[in-house]
Coordinates of all heavy atoms in Angstrom, one line a residue:
M680 N -102.4 161.7 -127.6 CA -102.0 162.7 -128.5 C -100.8 163.4 -128.0 O -100.6 163.7 -126.8 CB -103.1 163.8 -128.5 CG -103.0 164.8 -129.5 SD -103.2 164.3 -131.3 CE -104.9 164.2 -131.4
A681 N -99.8 163.6 -128.8 CA -98.4 164.2 -128.4 C -98.3 165.5 -129.3 O -98.5 165.5 -130.4 CB -97.4 163.2 -128.7
K682 N -97.9 166.6 -128.4 CA -97.6 167.9 -129.1 C -96.1 167.8 -129.3 O -95.4 167.7 -128.4 CB -98.0 169.0 -128.2 CG -99.4 169.5 -128.4 CD -99.7 170.8 -127.7 CE -101.0 171.1 -128.0 NZ -101.7 172.1 -127.2
I683 N -95.6 168.2 -130.5 CA -94.3 168.1 -130.8 C -94.0 169.5 -131.4 O -94.6 170.0 -132.3 CB -93.9 167.1 -131.8 CG1 -94.3 165.7 -131.1 CG2 -92.5 167.2 -132.3 CD1 -94.1 164.6 -131.9
T684 N -92.9 170.3 -130.8 CA -92.5 171.5 -131.4 C -91.3 171.4 -132.2 O -90.3 170.9 -131.8 CB -92.3 172.5 -130.3 OG1 -93.6 172.8 -129.6 CG2 -91.9 173.8 -130.8
F685 N -91.3 171.9 -133.5 CA -90.2 172.0 -134.2 C -89.7 173.5 -134.3 O -90.4 174.4 -134.4 CB -90.6 171.6 -135.8 CG -91.2 170.2 -135.9 CD1 -92.4 170.0 -135.7 CD2 -90.3 169.2 -136.2 CE1 -93.0 168.7 -135.8 CE2 -90.7 167.8 -136.4 CZ -92.1 167.6 -136.2
I686 N -88.3 173.5 -134.2 CA -87.7 174.9 -134.4 C -86.8 174.8 -135.7 O -85.8 174.0 -135.7 CB -86.9 175.3 -133.1 CG1 -87.8 175.3 -131.9 CG2 -86.2 176.7 -133.4 CD1 -87.7 174.3 -130.9
T687 N -87.3 175.6 -136.7 CA -86.5 175.5 -137.9 C -85.2 176.4 -137.8 O -84.9 177.1 -136.9 CB -87.3 176.2 -139.0 OG1 -87.5 177.5 -138.9 CG2 -88.7 175.4 -139.1
Q688 N -84.4 176.2 -138.9 CA -83.1 177.1 -139.0 C -83.4 178.5 -139.0 O -82.5 179.2 -138.5 CB -82.3 176.6 -140.2 CG -81.7 175.2 -140.3 CD -80.4 175.1 -139.6 OE1 -79.7 176.0 -139.8 NE2 -80.3 174.1 -138.9
S689 N -84.6 178.9 -139.4 CA -84.8 180.3 -139.4 C -85.6 180.7 -138.1 O -86.1 181.8 -138.0 CB -85.7 180.8 -140.6 OG -86.7 179.9 -140.8
Q690 N -85.4 179.8 -137.0 CA -86.0 180.1 -135.7 C -87.5 180.2 -135.6 O -88.1 180.8 -134.7 CB -85.4 181.4 -135.1 CG -84.0 181.4 -135.1 CD -83.4 180.2 -134.3 OE1 -83.9 179.9 -133.1 NE2 -82.4 179.5 -134.8
E691 N -88.2 179.7 -136.7 CA -89.6 179.5 -136.6 C -90.0 178.4 -135.7 O -89.5 177.3 -135.8 CB -90.2 179.3 -138.0 CG -91.7 179.4 -138.2 CD -92.1 179.0 -139.6 OE1 -91.3 178.7 -140.4 OE2 -93.3 179.0 -139.8
E692 N -91.0 178.5 -134.9 CA -91.4 177.5 -133.9 C -92.8 177.0 -134.4 O -93.7 177.8 -134.6 CB -91.6 177.9 -132.6 CG -90.2 177.9 -131.8 CD -90.5 178.0 -130.2 OE1 -91.4 177.5 -129.8 OE2 -89.6 178.6 -129.6
I693 N -92.8 175.7 -134.7 CA -94.1 175.1 -135.2 C -94.5 173.9 -134.2 O -93.8 173.0 -134.1 CB -94.0 174.6 -136.6 CG1 -93.4 175.7 -137.6 CG2 -95.2 174.0 -137.2 CD1 -92.6 175.2 -138.6
T694 N -95.6 174.0 -133.7 CA -96.1 173.0 -132.7 C -97.2 172.3 -133.5 O -98.2 172.9 -133.9 CB -96.6 173.6 -131.4 OG1 -95.5 174.3 -130.8 CG2 -97.0 172.4 -130.6
L695 N -97.1 171.0 -133.6 CA -98.0 170.1 -134.2 C -98.4 169.0 -133.3 O -97.7 168.6 -132.5 CB -97.4 169.5 -135.6 CG -96.9 170.4 -136.6 CD1 -96.1 169.8 -137.6 CD2 -98.1 171.2 -137.2
D696 N -99.4 168.4 -133.6 CA -99.8 167.2 -132.7 C -100.4 166.0 -133.5 O -101.0 166.3 -134.5 CB -100.8 167.5 -131.5 CG -102.0 168.2 -131.9 OD1 -102.6 167.9 -133.0 OD2 -102.4 169.1 -131.2
D697 N -100.1 164.9 -133.0 CA -100.6 163.7 -133.7 C -100.6 162.5 -132.7 O -100.0 162.7 -131.6 CB -99.8 163.3 -135.0 CG -100.5 162.5 -136.0 OD1 -101.6 162.0 -135.7 OD2 -100.1 162.5 -137.2
N698 N -101.1 161.3 -133.1 CA -100.9 160.3 -132.1 C -100.4 159.0 -132.7 O -100.5 158.0 -132.1 CB -102.3 159.9 -131.4 CG -103.4 159.9 -132.4 OD1 -103.1 159.5 -133.6 ND2 -104.6 160.0 -132.1
S699 N -100.0 159.1 -134.0 CA -99.3 157.8 -134.5 C -98.5 158.3 -135.8 O -98.5 159.4 -136.2 CB -100.3 156.9 -135.0 OG -101.1 157.5 -136.0
G700 N -97.8 157.3 -136.3 CA -96.9 157.7 -137.3 C -95.5 158.1 -136.9 O -95.3 158.1 -135.7
S701 N -94.7 158.5 -137.9 CA -93.4 158.9 -137.4 C -93.3 160.5 -137.4 O -94.2 161.1 -138.0 CB -92.3 158.5 -138.4 OG -92.4 159.2 -139.7
V702 N -92.4 161.0 -136.6 CA -92.2 162.4 -136.6 C -91.9 163.0 -137.9 O -92.3 164.1 -138.3 CB -91.1 162.7 -135.5 CG1 -90.7 164.2 -135.5 CG2 -91.5 162.3 -134.2
M703 N -91.1 162.3 -138.7 CA -90.9 162.8 -140.1 C -92.1 163.0 -140.9 O -92.4 164.0 -141.6 CB -89.9 161.9 -140.8 CG -89.5 162.2 -142.2 SD -90.8 161.8 -143.5 CE -90.4 160.0 -143.6
E704 N -93.0 162.0 -140.8 CA -94.3 162.1 -141.5 C -95.1 163.3 -141.0 O -95.7 164.0 -141.9 CB -95.0 160.8 -141.4 CG -94.5 159.6 -142.2 CD -95.1 158.3 -141.7 OE1 -95.6 158.2 -140.6 OE2 -94.9 157.3 -142.5
L705 N -95.2 163.5 -139.8 CA -95.9 164.6 -139.3 C -95.3 166.0 -139.7 O -96.0 166.9 -140.2 CB -95.8 164.6 -137.8 CG -96.4 165.8 -137.1 CD1 -97.9 165.8 -137.2 CD2 -96.1 165.8 -135.5
A706 N -94.0 166.1 -139.8 CA -93.3 167.3 -140.2 C -93.4 167.5 -141.8 O -93.7 168.7 -142.2 CB -91.9 167.2 -139.9
T707 N -93.3 166.5 -142.5 CA -93.4 166.7 -144.0 C -94.8 167.0 -144.4 O -95.1 167.8 -145.3 CB -92.9 165.5 -144.8 OG1 -93.5 164.2 -144.4 CG2 -91.4 165.4 -144.6
F708 N -95.9 166.3 -143.7 CA -97.2 166.7 -143.9 C -97.6 168.1 -143.8 O -98.4 168.7 -144.6 CB -98.1 165.7 -143.1 CG -99.6 165.8 -143.5 CD1 -100.1 165.1 -144.5 CD2 -100.5 166.6 -142.7 CE1 -101.4 165.2 -144.9 CE2 -101.9 166.7 -143.0 CZ -102.3 166.0 -144.1
H709 N -96.9 168.8 -142.9 CA -97.2 170.1 -142.5 C -96.1 171.0 -143.1 O -96.0 172.2 -142.8 CB -97.2 170.2 -141.0 CG -98.5 169.6 -140.5 ND1 -99.7 170.2 -140.5 CD2 -98.7 168.4 -140.0 CE1 -100.6 169.3 -139.9 NE2 -100.0 168.3 -139.6
D710 N -95.2 170.5 -144.0 CA -94.3 171.4 -144.7 C -93.3 172.1 -143.7 O -92.9 173.2 -143.9 CB -94.9 172.4 -145.6 CG -95.5 171.7 -146.8 OD1 -94.9 170.6 -147.3 OD2 -96.7 172.2 -147.2
V711 N -92.8 171.4 -142.7 CA -91.8 172.0 -141.8 C -90.6 172.2 -142.6 O -90.0 171.2 -143.1 CB -91.6 171.2 -140.5 CG1 -90.5 171.7 -139.7 CG2 -92.9 171.0 -139.7
Q712 N -90.0 173.5 -142.7 CA -88.9 173.7 -143.4 C -87.7 173.0 -142.9 O -87.3 172.8 -141.8 CB -88.6 175.1 -143.3 CG -87.5 175.6 -144.3 CD -87.2 177.2 -144.0 OE1 -87.7 177.8 -143.1 NE2 -86.2 177.6 -144.8
G713 N -87.0 172.2 -143.9 CA -85.8 171.6 -143.5 C -85.9 170.1 -143.3 O -84.9 169.4 -143.1
I714 N -87.2 169.6 -143.3 CA -87.5 168.1 -143.0 C -88.0 167.6 -144.3 O -89.2 168.0 -144.7 CB -88.3 167.9 -141.9 CG1 -87.5 168.3 -140.6 CG2 -88.5 166.3 -141.8 CD1 -88.2 167.9 -139.3
E715 N -87.2 166.9 -145.1 CA -87.7 166.4 -146.4 C -88.2 165.0 -146.5 O -89.1 164.6 -147.2 CB -86.7 166.8 -147.4 CG -86.5 168.3 -147.5 CD -85.3 168.6 -148.4 OE1 -84.7 167.8 -149.1 OE2 -84.8 169.8 -148.4
G716 N -87.5 164.1 -145.8 CA -87.9 162.7 -145.8 C -87.8 162.2 -147.2 O -88.6 161.3 -147.8
N717 N -86.7 162.4 -147.9 CA -86.4 162.0 -149.3 C -86.5 160.5 -149.4 O -86.9 160.0 -150.5 CB -85.1 162.5 -149.9 CG -85.3 164.0 -150.1 OD1 -86.3 164.5 -150.1 ND2 -84.1 164.6 -150.4
C718 N -86.1 159.6 -148.5 CA -86.0 158.2 -148.7 C -87.3 157.6 -148.3 O -87.5 156.4 -148.4 CB -84.9 157.6 -148.1 SG -85.1 157.5 -146.2
G719 N -88.3 158.3 -147.8 CA -89.6 157.9 -147.5 C -89.7 157.2 -146.1 O -90.6 156.4 -145.8
G720 N -88.6 157.4 -145.4 CA -88.6 156.9 -144.0 C -87.8 155.6 -143.8 O -88.1 154.9 -142.8
V721 N -87.0 155.2 -144.7 CA -86.3 154.0 -144.6 C -84.8 154.2 -144.1 O -84.0 153.3 -144.2 CB -86.3 153.1 -145.9 CG1 -87.6 152.8 -146.3 CG2 -85.6 153.9 -147.0
C722 N -84.6 155.3 -143.5 CA -83.2 155.5 -142.8 C -82.0 155.4 -143.6 O -81.1 154.7 -143.3 CB -83.1 154.4 -141.7 SG -82.0 154.9 -140.4
S723 N -82.2 156.2 -144.8 CA -81.0 156.0 -145.8 C -80.7 157.4 -146.3 O -79.7 157.6 -147.1 CB -81.3 155.1 -146.9 OG -82.3 155.5 -147.6
C724 N -81.4 158.6 -145.9 CA -81.1 159.8 -146.6 C -80.6 160.9 -145.5 O -80.0 161.9 -146.1 CB -82.3 160.4 -147.4 SG -83.7 160.9 -146.4
A725 N -81.1 160.9 -144.4 CA -80.8 161.9 -143.3 C -81.3 163.2 -143.6 O -81.0 164.2 -143.0 CB -79.3 161.9 -143.1
T726 N -82.3 163.4 -144.7 CA -83.0 164.6 -144.8 C -84.0 164.9 -143.7 O -84.8 165.8 -144.0 CB -83.5 164.7 -146.2 OG1 -84.6 163.8 -146.3 CG2 -82.5 164.5 -147.3
C727 N -84.2 164.1 -142.8 CA -85.2 164.2 -141.7 C -84.3 164.5 -140.4 O -85.0 164.3 -139.2 CB -86.0 163.2 -141.6 SG -85.1 161.5 -141.2
H728 N -83.1 164.9 -140.4 CA -82.2 165.1 -139.3 C -82.7 166.1 -138.3 O -83.0 167.3 -138.7 CB -80.8 165.4 -139.7 CG -79.7 165.4 -138.6 ND1 -78.5 165.9 -139.0 CD2 -79.8 165.1 -137.3 CE1 -77.8 165.9 -137.9 NE2 -78.5 165.5 -136.8
V729 N -82.9 165.8 -137.0 CA -83.2 166.8 -136.0 C -82.2 166.6 -134.8 O -81.7 165.6 -134.6 CB -84.6 166.6 -135.5 CG1 -85.6 166.9 -136.6 CG2 -84.9 165.3 -134.8
H730 N -82.1 167.8 -134.2 CA -81.4 167.8 -132.9 C -82.5 167.8 -131.7 O -83.2 168.8 -131.7 CB -80.4 168.9 -132.7 CG -79.3 168.9 -133.6 ND1 -78.9 170.0 -134.4 CD2 -78.5 167.9 -134.0 CE1 -77.9 169.6 -135.2 NE2 -77.7 168.4 -135.0
V731 N -82.6 166.8 -130.9 CA -83.6 166.8 -129.8 C -83.1 167.7 -128.7 O -81.9 167.7 -128.4 CB -83.7 165.3 -129.3 CG1 -84.7 165.3 -128.1 CG2 -84.1 164.4 -130.4
A732 N -84.1 168.5 -128.2 CA -83.6 169.3 -127.0 C -83.0 168.5 -125.9 O -83.7 167.4 -125.6 CB -84.8 170.1 -126.5
P733 N -81.9 168.8 -125.4 CA -81.2 167.9 -124.4 C -82.1 167.4 -123.3 O -82.2 166.2 -122.9 CB -80.1 168.7 -123.9 CG -79.8 169.8 -125.0 CD -81.1 170.1 -125.7
E734 N -83.0 168.3 -122.8 CA -83.9 167.9 -121.7 C -85.0 166.8 -122.3 O -85.6 166.2 -121.4 CB -84.5 169.1 -121.1 CG -85.4 169.9 -121.9 CD -84.6 170.9 -122.8 OE1 -83.5 170.9 -123.0 OE2 -85.5 171.9 -123.2
D735 N -85.2 166.8 -123.5 CA -86.2 165.8 -124.0 C -85.6 164.5 -124.5 O -86.3 163.6 -124.9 CB -86.9 166.4 -125.1 CG -87.8 167.5 -124.7 OD1 -88.3 167.6 -123.5 OD2 -87.9 168.6 -125.3
F736 N -84.2 164.4 -124.6 CA -83.6 163.2 -125.2 C -84.0 161.9 -124.6 O -84.2 161.0 -125.2 CB -82.0 163.4 -125.2 CG -81.4 162.6 -126.2 CD1 -81.5 162.7 -127.6 CD2 -80.7 161.4 -125.9 CE1 -81.0 162.0 -128.6 CE2 -80.2 160.6 -126.8 CZ -80.3 160.8 -128.2
D737 N -84.1 161.9 -123.3 CA -84.6 160.6 -122.7 C -85.9 160.1 -123.1 O -86.1 159.0 -123.2 CB -84.5 160.8 -121.0 CG -83.2 160.7 -120.6 OD1 -82.2 160.3 -121.3 OD2 -83.0 161.0 -119.3
K738 N -86.8 161.1 -123.4 CA -88.1 160.7 -123.9 C -88.1 160.1 -125.2 O -88.8 159.2 -125.6 CB -89.0 161.9 -123.9 CG -89.6 162.5 -122.8 CD -90.5 163.5 -123.1 CE -90.9 164.3 -121.8 NZ -91.9 165.4 -122.2
V739 N -87.2 160.6 -126.0 CA -87.0 160.1 -127.5 C -86.2 158.9 -127.6 O -86.5 158.0 -128.3 CB -86.4 161.2 -128.4 CG1 -86.2 160.8 -129.8 CG2 -87.4 162.5 -128.3
G740 N -85.0 158.9 -126.8 CA -84.3 157.7 -126.8 C -83.2 157.7 -127.8 O -83.1 158.6 -128.7
K741 N -82.2 156.8 -127.7 CA -81.0 156.8 -128.6 C -81.3 156.2 -129.9 O -82.2 155.3 -129.9 CB -80.0 155.9 -127.9 CG -79.4 156.7 -126.6 CD -78.2 156.0 -126.1 CE -77.6 156.8 -125.1 NZ -76.9 156.1 -124.0
P742 N -80.6 156.5 -131.0 CA -80.8 155.9 -132.2 C -80.1 154.4 -132.1 O -79.3 154.1 -131.3 CB -79.8 156.7 -133.2 CG -78.8 157.3 -132.3 CD -79.5 157.6 -130.9
D743 N -80.8 153.6 -133.0 CA -80.2 152.2 -133.1 C -79.0 152.2 -134.0 O -78.6 153.2 -134.5 CB -81.2 151.1 -133.6 CG -81.8 151.5 -135.0 OD1 -81.0 152.3 -135.7 OD2 -82.8 151.0 -135.4
D744 N -78.5 151.0 -134.2 CA -77.2 150.9 -134.9 C -77.3 151.4 -136.4 O -76.3 152.0 -136.8 CB -76.7 149.4 -134.9 CG -76.1 149.1 -133.5 OD1 -76.0 149.9 -132.7 OD2 -75.9 147.9 -133.3
M745 N -78.4 151.0 -137.1 CA -78.5 151.5 -138.4 C -78.5 153.0 -138.4 O -78.0 153.6 -139.3 CB -79.8 150.8 -139.1 CG -79.9 151.2 -140.5 SD -81.2 150.1 -141.2 CE -82.7 150.9 -140.7
E746 N -79.3 153.6 -137.7 CA -79.5 155.0 -137.6 C -78.2 155.7 -137.2 O -77.8 156.8 -137.8 CB -80.6 155.4 -136.6 CG -80.9 156.8 -136.7 CD -82.0 157.2 -135.7 OE1 -82.8 156.3 -135.3 OE2 -82.2 158.4 -135.3
T747 N -77.4 155.2 -136.3 CA -76.2 155.7 -135.9 C -75.3 155.7 -137.1 O -74.5 156.6 -137.3 CB -75.6 154.9 -134.7 OG1 -76.5 154.9 -133.6 CG2 -74.2 155.5 -134.3
D748 N -75.3 154.6 -137.8 CA -74.3 154.6 -139.1 C -74.6 155.8 -140.0 O -73.8 156.3 -140.6 CB -74.6 153.2 -139.8 CG -74.0 152.1 -139.0 OD1 -73.1 152.4 -138.0 OD2 -74.2 151.0 -139.3
I749 N -75.9 156.1 -140.3 CA -76.3 157.1 -141.1 C -75.9 158.5 -140.5 O -75.3 159.3 -141.2 CB -77.8 157.1 -141.5 CG1 -78.1 155.8 -142.1 CG2 -78.2 158.3 -142.4 CD1 -77.7 155.6 -143.5
L750 N -76.1 158.6 -139.2 CA -75.7 159.9 -138.6 C -74.2 160.2 -138.7 O -73.8 161.4 -138.6 CB -76.3 159.9 -137.2 CG -77.8 160.2 -137.1 CD1 -78.4 159.8 -135.7 CD2 -78.2 161.6 -137.5
E751 N -73.5 159.1 -138.7 CA -72.0 159.3 -138.7 C -71.6 160.1 -140.0 O -70.5 160.7 -139.9 CB -71.3 158.0 -138.6 CG -71.2 157.5 -137.2 CD -70.6 156.1 -137.1 OE1 -70.2 155.6 -138.1 OE2 -70.6 155.7 -135.9
F752 N -72.4 160.1 -141.0 CA -72.0 160.9 -142.3 C -72.5 162.3 -142.2 O -72.2 163.1 -143.1 CB -72.6 160.2 -143.5 CG -71.9 158.8 -143.8 CD1 -72.6 157.6 -143.5 CD2 -70.6 158.8 -144.5 CE1 -71.9 156.4 -143.6 CE2 -70.0 157.5 -144.6 CZ -70.6 156.4 -144.3
E753 N -73.2 162.7 -141.2 CA -73.6 164.0 -141.1 C -72.8 164.9 -140.4 O -72.4 164.6 -139.2 CB -75.0 164.1 -140.3 CG -76.3 163.4 -141.0 CD -76.6 164.4 -142.2 OE1 -77.1 165.5 -141.9 OE2 -76.3 164.0 -143.3
D754 N -72.3 165.9 -141.1 CA -71.3 167.0 -140.5 C -71.8 167.5 -139.2 O -71.1 167.8 -138.3 CB -71.0 168.1 -141.5 CG -70.2 167.5 -142.8 OD1 -69.6 166.4 -142.5 OD2 -70.2 168.2 -143.6
N755 N -73.2 167.9 -139.1 CA -73.7 168.6 -138.0 C -74.2 167.7 -136.9 O -75.1 168.2 -136.2 CB -74.6 169.8 -138.5 CG -75.7 169.2 -139.3 OD1 -75.8 168.0 -139.6 ND2 -76.6 170.1 -139.7
A756 N -74.0 166.4 -137.0 CA -74.5 165.5 -136.0 C -74.0 165.9 -134.5 O -72.9 166.1 -134.5 CB -74.4 164.1 -136.4
T757 N -74.8 165.7 -133.6 CA -74.4 165.9 -132.1 C -74.8 164.6 -131.4 O -75.5 163.8 -131.9 CB -75.0 167.1 -131.6 OG1 -76.4 166.8 -131.4 CG2 -74.8 168.3 -132.4
E758 N -74.6 164.6 -130.2 CA -75.0 163.6 -129.2 C -76.5 163.5 -129.2 O -77.2 162.5 -128.7 CB -74.4 163.6 -127.9 CG -74.7 164.9 -127.2 CD -73.9 165.2 -125.9 OE1 -74.0 164.2 -125.1 OE2 -73.3 166.2 -125.9
F759 N -77.2 164.6 -129.5 CA -78.7 164.7 -129.5 C -79.3 164.5 -130.8 O -80.4 164.8 -131.0 CB -79.1 166.0 -128.9 CG -78.4 166.3 -127.5 CD1 -77.5 167.3 -127.3 CD2 -78.9 165.4 -126.4 CE1 -76.9 167.4 -126.0 CE2 -78.3 165.6 -125.2 CZ -77.3 166.6 -124.9
S760 N -78.6 164.0 -131.8 CA -79.2 163.8 -133.2 C -80.0 162.6 -133.2 O -79.7 161.6 -132.6 CB -78.0 163.7 -134.1 OG -77.4 164.9 -134.4
R761 N -81.1 162.8 -134.0 CA -82.0 161.6 -134.4 C -82.4 161.8 -135.8 O -82.6 163.0 -136.3 CB -83.1 161.5 -133.4 CG -82.9 161.1 -132.0 CD -82.3 159.6 -132.0 NE -83.1 158.7 -132.7 CZ -84.1 157.9 -132.3 NH1 -84.6 158.1 -131.1 NH2 -84.6 157.0 -133.1
L762 N -82.8 160.8 -136.5 CA -83.5 160.9 -137.7 C -84.9 160.8 -137.4 O -85.4 159.7 -136.8 CB -83.0 159.8 -138.7 CG -81.5 159.8 -139.1 CD1 -81.2 158.6 -139.9 CD2 -81.2 161.1 -139.8
S763 N -85.7 161.8 -137.8 CA -87.1 161.8 -137.3 C -88.0 160.8 -137.8 O -89.0 160.5 -137.4 CB -87.7 163.2 -137.4 OG -87.6 163.6 -138.8
C764 N -87.6 160.2 -139.0 CA -88.4 159.0 -139.5 C -88.2 157.8 -138.7 O -89.1 157.0 -138.8 CB -87.9 158.8 -140.9 SG -86.3 158.0 -141.1
Q765 N -87.3 157.8 -137.7 CA -87.1 156.6 -136.8 C -87.7 156.8 -135.5 O -87.5 156.1 -134.5 CB -85.6 156.3 -136.8 CG -85.0 156.0 -138.1 CD -85.6 154.8 -138.8 OE1 -85.7 153.8 -138.3 NE2 -86.1 155.1 -140.0
I766 N -88.4 157.9 -135.3 CA -89.1 158.3 -134.1 C -90.6 158.1 -134.2 O -91.1 158.9 -135.0 CB -88.8 159.8 -133.6 CG1 -87.4 160.1 -133.5 CG2 -89.4 160.0 -132.3 CD1 -86.9 161.5 -133.3
E767 N -91.0 157.2 -133.5 CA -92.5 156.9 -133.6 C -93.2 157.8 -132.6 O -92.8 157.9 -131.5 CB -92.8 155.4 -133.3 CG -92.6 154.5 -134.4 CD -93.4 154.7 -135.6 OE1 -94.7 154.9 -135.5 OE2 -92.9 154.8 -136.8
I768 N -94.4 158.4 -133.0 CA -95.0 159.3 -132.1 C -95.8 158.4 -131.1 O -96.6 157.5 -131.5 CB -96.0 160.2 -133.0 CG1 -95.2 161.1 -134.0 CG2 -96.9 161.0 -132.0 CD1 -96.1 161.8 -134.9
T769 N -95.6 158.7 -129.8 CA -96.4 158.1 -128.8 C -96.7 159.2 -127.8 O -96.1 160.3 -127.9 CB -95.6 157.0 -128.0 OG1 -94.5 157.7 -127.4 CG2 -95.1 155.9 -128.9
E770 N -97.7 159.0 -126.8 CA -98.0 160.0 -125.9 C -96.8 160.5 -125.0 O -96.8 161.6 -124.6 CB -99.0 159.4 -124.9 CG -100.4 159.5 -125.7 CD -101.6 159.3 -124.7 OE1 -101.4 159.3 -123.5 OE2 -102.7 159.1 -125.2
E771 N -95.9 159.6 -124.9 CA -94.6 159.9 -124.1 C -93.9 161.0 -124.7 O -93.1 161.7 -124.0 CB -93.7 158.6 -124.0 CG -94.1 157.6 -123.0 CD -95.3 156.8 -123.6 OE1 -95.3 156.3 -124.8 OE2 -96.4 156.7 -122.8
L772 N -94.0 161.3 -126.1 CA -93.3 162.3 -126.6 C -93.9 163.8 -126.4 O -93.4 164.7 -126.8 CB -93.2 162.2 -128.1 CG -92.4 160.9 -128.6 CD1 -92.2 160.9 -130.0 CD2 -91.1 160.7 -127.9
D773 N -95.0 163.8 -125.7 CA -95.8 165.0 -125.6 C -94.9 166.2 -125.0 O -94.2 165.9 -124.0 CB -97.0 164.8 -124.7 CG -97.9 166.0 -124.7 OD1 -98.1 166.7 -125.8 OD2 -98.4 166.5 -123.6
G774 N -94.9 167.3 -125.7 CA -94.1 168.4 -125.2 C -92.6 168.5 -125.7 O -92.0 169.5 -125.3
I775 N -92.1 167.5 -126.5 CA -90.8 167.6 -126.8 C -90.4 168.7 -127.7 O -91.4 169.1 -128.6 CB -90.2 166.2 -127.5 CG1 -90.9 165.9 -128.8 CG2 -90.4 165.2 -126.4 CD1 -90.3 164.8 -129.5
R776 N -89.2 169.1 -127.9 CA -88.8 170.1 -128.8 C -87.6 169.6 -129.7 O -86.7 169.0 -129.2 CB -88.3 171.4 -128.2 CG -89.5 172.0 -127.3 CD -88.9 173.0 -126.4 NE -88.6 174.2 -127.1 CZ -87.5 175.0 -126.9 NH1 -86.6 174.6 -126.1 NH2 -87.4 176.1 -127.6
L777 N -87.8 169.8 -131.0 CA -86.8 169.3 -132.0 C -86.3 170.6 -132.9 O -87.1 171.1 -133.4 CB -87.5 168.2 -132.9 CG -88.2 167.1 -132.2 CD1 -89.0 166.2 -133.2 CD2 -87.1 166.2 -131.5
F778 N -85.0 170.5 -132.9 CA -84.3 171.6 -133.7 C -84.1 171.0 -135.1 O -83.3 170.0 -135.2 CB -83.1 172.2 -133.0 CG -83.3 172.8 -131.7 CD1 -83.6 172.1 -130.5 CD2 -83.6 174.3 -131.8 CE1 -83.9 172.7 -129.4 CE2 -83.9 174.9 -130.5 CZ -84.0 174.1 -129.3
V779 N -84.6 171.6 -136.2 CA -84.3 171.0 -137.5 C -82.9 171.3 -137.8 O -82.4 172.4 -137.8 CB -85.2 171.7 -138.5 CG1 -84.9 171.2 -139.9 CG2 -86.7 171.4 -138.2
A780 N -82.2 170.2 -138.2 CA -80.8 170.2 -138.4 C -80.3 170.7 -139.8 O -79.2 171.3 -140.0 CB -80.1 168.9 -138.2
N781 N -81.3 170.6 -140.8 CA -80.9 171.0 -142.2 C -81.4 172.3 -142.5 O -82.3 172.9 -141.9 CB -81.5 170.0 -143.1 CG -80.9 168.6 -142.9 OD1 -79.8 168.4 -142.7 ND2 -81.9 167.6 -142.8
E782 N -80.8 173.0 -143.6 CA -81.2 174.2 -144.1 C -82.7 174.1 -144.6 O -83.0 173.3 -145.2 CB -80.3 174.7 -145.2 CG -78.9 174.9 -144.8 CD -78.6 176.2 -144.0 OE1 -79.3 177.2 -144.3 OE2 -77.8 176.2 -143.1
Ligands
FES1251 S1 -86.6 160.1 -144.3 FE1 -84.6 159.4 -145.0 S2 -83.5 158.9 -143.2 FE2 -85.3 159.7 -142.5

C-alpha cells in the first residue's frame, strides 16, 4: 500500500492510498482537482501533469522518451514534471507528494 499526497492549485492537500494502477487513475477516481486523464492514460493529453516534490523524484523516476515528448509542449513543465498516468503505484511510492500542475 502506498500513500500519495496531492496538492492542488488551490493548496488543498489530499492523501490517498492504493496498491496498484496508475497515479492518474487514483486521482481521477477520487476527483482530485486538476487531474482529468482525458486520454484515458495513453500519454497523449497531459491533463494528468504533476510536479513531483523534488525530494521524492528519485522514487518516481524520470519520464521515458514518449512522455518527455508530450511534456515538452507543456508551458509549466519543470525538471520534476511527470504525467501521472505513466506512474504505476508501487509500495516504493509510499509518502510521495505531487503538486497538480493544471488549474
Ligand atoms: S491521462 Fe492523458 S497523458 Fe496522462
